[in-house]
Amino acid sequence: MRAGGHRGRPRELVSVRRHREAIPVVIVAGFLGAGKTTLLNALLANPVGARLGVIVNDFGAINIDALLVAGQSAGTISFGNGCLCCSVDADGLGQALAGLADPAAGLDAIVVEASGIAEPRALIKMIAGIADRAIRYGGLVYVVDVAAVTATVRRHPEIGGHIAIADLVVVNKADLVDGETLAEVLAKVAELNPTAPRVVTSDGRIDCTALFDPAPRPDDDADVPRQLTLDELLRGEGPECGHGGHLHEQFNSVSVQVPGVLDPRRLAQVLERPPTGCYRIKGVVWLAGADEQFGVHAVGGFVRTERTGSRRLPAAPGSSLVVIGTGLDEARVRALLEGLVAAPDLDDEFGILGIMRHLPAASQLPND
């Protein structure tokens, strides 16, 4: 499965937009030593050409050879593949996000690495509450050390609460335990958070395209000299994100083309309460009661709606929806999405508000 990018971006999700799509902000959290920085390094070394902005509490902890850093200024380091990294405190988070979301940076996603003692719920509220239409909440990825998580939760019960609100749980360091222990930890995680997808890793490597959609980029001309990207520089030194161990096989997706206009009230319910195992939902939809097309994004119940600019309902309207996660019940998800078609006699004057309320604040919208 390829959730996006120049390798396998679903054609049905490509639409002509007047404005640049909001950049997802993904939080990576976990207790001390769980493997957050290892996961971050794997994301930075992604082989799909994605450009990432990274905000961390102490960028000195990022294990990147100094020779791979192209430049550094004002707390920001620039990697050879266009990725950026900032060192900020909580008060500077909004400002840093605004800077990284500048279209000139050309980033596909921003990753916030929380400190090992950070409170994820506070970070989620902070990011979700930022009134900047250039960014959107991209999910909480919580990393646990499979060999230590049971004792950690026993000593620090609040960690169980952190796992409970995660949108994706990465069960890391699986190579350090036997199958029985791994099964026990997975069961415990499922008990704490029965709906979030779970991914088992040995060194924090997950398929980055499951978290965000890299923008399509033109193919490189082999005859034109260029700077090597970070993943190319690191190639041969370890397995690649998305390829080593076929990481994409850990995730699955369900793509559905739904003919007709959708019931906005039922769609809002699905976006706000995603199916079990779902990490994110994305799509382009036509809705009953609206004379325009919308792009929708949802992660963990946080929904973002965007106008696509299309205001002419086609003779045979159709909507495209993709659900991405792990362990998805494909038949159930497909039936759920196909069941969103609005009844011909639907009379729900206020149903569209369930979708419209997830548009950026009016003060953040440009004049039409």
Side-chain angles (χ1 to χ4, degrees):
M1 182 279 295
R2 285 296 176 202
H6 62 286
R7 302 182 185 181
R9 181 180 176 85
R11 287 184 176 273
E12 68 269 16
L13 290 179
V14 179
S15 62
V16 178
R17 298 175 183 263
R18 294 174 299 166
H19 311 294
R20 187 171 183 269
E21 189 173 292
I23 299 175
V25 179
V26 179
I27 301 172
V28 174
F31 195 65
L32 298 167
K36 299 184 299 298
T37 300
T38 302
L39 185 147
L40 177 58
N41 283 322
L43 290 176
L44 285 171
N46 74 85
V48 297
R51 295 166 64 95
L52 304 182
V54 180
I55 297 177
V56 295
N57 296 110
D58 178 7
F59 67 75
I62 298 179
N63 186 25
I64 298 293
D65 191 293
L67 293 177
L68 302 182
V69 179
Q72 177 176 341
S73 64
T76 299
I77 57 177
S78 174
F79 298 102
N81 64 345
C83 296
L84 301 175
C85 182
C86 296
S87 175
V88 299
D89 55 22
D91 294 335
L93 180 60
Q95 183 177 357
L97 288 173
L100 290 175
D102 189 320
L107 299 180
D108 297 304
I110 299 171
V111 181
V112 177
E113 183 192 357
S115 72
I117 56 176
E119 174 51 59
R121 194 183 302 271
L123 269 176
I124 294 172
K125 290 182 179 179
M126 191 182 306
I127 292 171
I130 293 176
D132 187 339
R133 67 183 309 273
I135 63 173
R136 60 182 171 85
Y137 175 65
L140 170 63
V141 177
Y142 200 84
V143 186
V144 300
D145 179 345
V146 68
V149 64
T150 301
T152 299
V153 172
R154 188 163 51 245
R155 291 195 306 269
H156 306 282
E158 65 273 18
I159 299 300
H162 297 170
I163 295 173
I165 64 171
D167 301 305
L168 172 67
V169 180
V170 177
V171 181
N172 194 33
K173 304 185 183 180
D175 56 320
L176 302 182
V177 299
D178 56 28
E180 182 179 354
T181 301
L182 176 59
E184 291 174 355
V185 170
L186 287 172
K188 181 62 176 179
V189 169
E191 179 185 337
L192 293 169
N193 189 333
T195 60
R198 298 174 293 278
V199 176
V200 177
T201 70
S202 294
D203 46 19
R205 292 179 296 114
I206 62 176
D207 184 0
C208 51
T209 61
L211 306 184
F212 54 84
D213 296 327
R217 306 193 193 284
D219 293 333
D220 294 318
D221 187 336
D223 296 329
V224 177
R226 62 178 177 82
Q227 183 181 29
L228 291 177
T229 60
L230 188 59
D231 70 289
E232 291 170 326
L233 288 168
L234 295 175
R235 193 166 295 157
E237 297 183 16
E240 299 173 354
C241 167
H243 290 280
H246 301 286
L247 298 182
H248 58 279
E249 295 178 358
Q250 299 184 63
F251 291 88
N252 61 317
S253 67
V254 181
S255 302
V256 177
Q257 295 277 351
V258 186
V261 296
L262 305 186
D263 182 328
R265 191 182 295 273
R266 296 210 306 269
L267 174 61
Q269 291 173 348
V270 171
L271 295 174
E272 294 168 4
R273 292 185 290 278
T276 298
C278 170
Y279 179 70
R280 63 190 180 112
I281 303 174
K282 58 182 179 176
V284 178
V285 300
W286 290 98
L287 304 173
D291 57 356
E292 60 182 315
Q293 186 187 59
F294 294 93
V296 295
H297 309 264
V299 175
F302 287 85
V303 182
R304 173 75 174 231
T305 303
E306 298 173 345
R307 289 186 163 95
T308 69
S310 297
R311 293 179 176 270
R312 180 176 298 178
L313 184 70
S319 299
S320 303
L321 290 165
V322 179
V323 177
I324 301 167
T326 65
L328 294 171
D329 184 332
E330 181 171 348
R332 183 177 179 181
V333 171
R334 188 173 297 278
L336 180 66
L337 299 183
E338 292 174 347
L340 295 176
V341 179
D345 58 349
L346 177 68
D347 183 14
D348 187 358
E349 179 181 358
F350 300 107
I352 190 64
L353 297 180
I355 294 297
M356 297 290 285
R357 71 188 184 93
H358 295 297
L359 284 167
S363 61
Q364 298 294 324
L365 289 172
N367 294 326
D368 290 332

